[in-house]
Amino acid sequence: MAQLAEIHGAGLGLKRELLPQLMQQHGQALLAQLQFLEIAPENWLQAGGKYAVELDWLAQRYPIACHGLCLSLGGPDPLNVGFLKQVKQFLADFEIPLYTEHLSYCSDIANGYIYDLLPIPFTEEAVNYVAQRIRQTQDILQRRIAVENTSFYLAAPISDMDEITFINAVLTEADCDLHLDINNVYVNSVNFGFDPATFLASIPAERIVYGHMAGHLQVAPDLLVDTHGEAIIDPVWQLLEHAYRTLGMFPTLLERDSNMPPLPALMQEVDRIAALQQQALQKSAQAVHKVA
């Protein structure tokens, strides 16, 4: 069984269209900084034949993290236990050491799946509700999971706490880990007018299992949309550098879901993540040397 510690360094979200390029370039200089891959189990559970063989090939060569899309942890409908049992078997089959999900919801009892990630109201009642569902998920999977801070565009009027207070309350109540999305922190900071560095200062660093980097679309000066379809902009790179400096270095992965460029262009951003990680480690080592 693979170990969580094998998820380290810089990673890339795996899309099926990338399979041939990754297999062709394995062992070549282009992928020298690629340390792990991420997949959404919903996109691979039913994959058979060629795709299953190719995924198995990659799983034997790279640690893989699973990042779920449709568990709907904050949704009003019962948890999909049947789906979770499938995920549990999938994680075992491919020796995947980590499963994460969004701290949001994407379904309701009347309409089923909404195909979007909606924010949970930031209330004490919601903390207790979603934490219970996270604990139930961990019990079924028989492993600790991590939840990702999500981007959103409209604050629930019934919220009685801010986002970071809500996230920290859920992490404590559910006793789970954090999947820190740096781009989502930046997007929300612009959309809701807060300081992203202050937000990060309240993050419990010891709960971060890995991070996400991605591009977003600027619709207006005060409205960003988390599309995963553009290059990462400088303020988000600077926020990642700040996160490494203040929270410590953590594994970080590039998400790209649309407007997919060729693999060499994607690897430029993966390489930049790796370079910032090396820079953070060197600065940390220099600080220890000065103290000694």
Side-chain angles (χ1 to χ4, degrees):
M1 172 64 73
Q3 301 298 311
L4 183 58
E6 295 179 27
I7 304 294
H8 62 84
L12 175 65
L14 176 61
K15 302 300 175 188
R16 288 185 181 179
E17 57 266 44
L18 295 175
L19 283 167
Q21 298 176 75
L22 287 169
M23 295 175 72
Q24 183 181 33
Q25 293 294 329
H26 176 69
Q28 303 301 311
L30 178 66
L31 302 185
Q33 299 301 327
L34 181 62
Q35 298 297 315
F36 70 103
L37 299 170
E38 176 195 90
I39 59 176
E42 292 86 348
N43 294 335
W44 296 89
L45 277 173
Q46 304 304 323
K50 170 177 174 290
Y51 288 128
V53 171
E54 291 176 341
L55 178 59
D56 187 59
W57 190 92
L58 284 170
Q60 292 180 36
R61 289 159 178 80
Y62 292 99
I64 291 180
C66 253
H67 182 49
L69 300 173
C70 71
L71 188 55
S72 198
L73 282 170
D77 47 333
L79 271 182
N80 190 337
V81 173
F83 167 73
L84 276 174
K85 289 180 177 178
Q86 287 184 302
V87 170
K88 181 181 179 181
Q89 187 60 52
F90 182 78
L91 297 175
D93 289 345
F94 289 94
E95 298 190 3
I96 295 173
L98 177 61
Y99 176 74
T100 74
E101 247 294 352
H102 299 85
L103 190 54
S104 63
Y105 73 102
C106 60
S107 64
D108 67 22
I109 295 173
N111 300 302
Y113 288 101
I114 302 170
Y115 299 106
D116 205 348
L117 298 173
L118 303 178
I120 304 167
F122 302 148
T123 66
E124 190 66 34
E125 181 181 13
V127 168
N128 296 332
Y129 177 76
V130 74
Q132 184 279 324
R133 288 162 68 90
I134 293 171
R135 291 195 300 271
Q136 183 184 356
T137 298
Q138 294 182 141
D139 288 344
I140 293 170
L141 296 180
Q142 295 183 303
R143 67 173 68 201
R144 195 178 178 93
I145 72 166
V147 292
E148 182 193 279
N149 57 299
T150 58
S151 55
F152 58 102
Y153 313 102
L154 182 66
I158 63 172
S159 293
D160 55 19
M161 62 181 75
D162 61 18
E163 182 188 5
I164 188 58
T165 302
F166 176 77
I167 291 172
N168 284 336
V170 170
L171 296 178
T172 300
E173 181 70 18
D175 193 19
C176 66
D177 290 321
L178 176 66
H179 180 171
L180 178 60
D181 191 307
I182 296 294
N183 182 58
N184 287 349
V185 173
Y186 181 79
V187 166
N188 288 351
S189 76
V190 172
N191 291 347
F192 296 97
F194 62 81
D195 178 8
T198 301
F199 184 99
L200 289 179
S202 297
I203 290 289
E206 70 280 5
R207 290 188 184 269
I208 301 172
V209 289
Y210 75 115
H212 268 169
M213 286 287 281
H216 58 258
L217 177 66
Q218 180 168 347
V219 178
D222 59 351
L223 177 58
L224 307 182
V225 177
D226 181 33
T227 58
H228 300 176
E230 292 75 25
I232 300 167
I233 66 171
D234 283 344
V236 180
W237 286 116
Q238 292 159 11
L239 191 59
L240 178 64
E241 185 177 6
H242 177 81
Y244 287 160
R245 186 167 59 251
T246 57
L247 298 171
M249 200 274 283
F250 46 84
T252 307
L253 178 140
L254 172 67
E255 284 187 303
R256 186 70 181 245
D257 294 332
S258 60
N259 297 326
M260 191 70 75
L263 185 61
L266 291 174
M267 287 307 302
Q268 288 180 12
E269 292 191 319
V270 174
D271 290 350
R272 187 165 178 178
I273 291 171
L276 289 176
Q277 291 175 333
Q278 286 299 317
Q279 176 183 303
L281 289 174
Q282 289 170 3
K283 288 184 177 179
S284 177
Q286 289 169 358
V288 170
H289 179 72
K290 287 181 180 178
V291 170

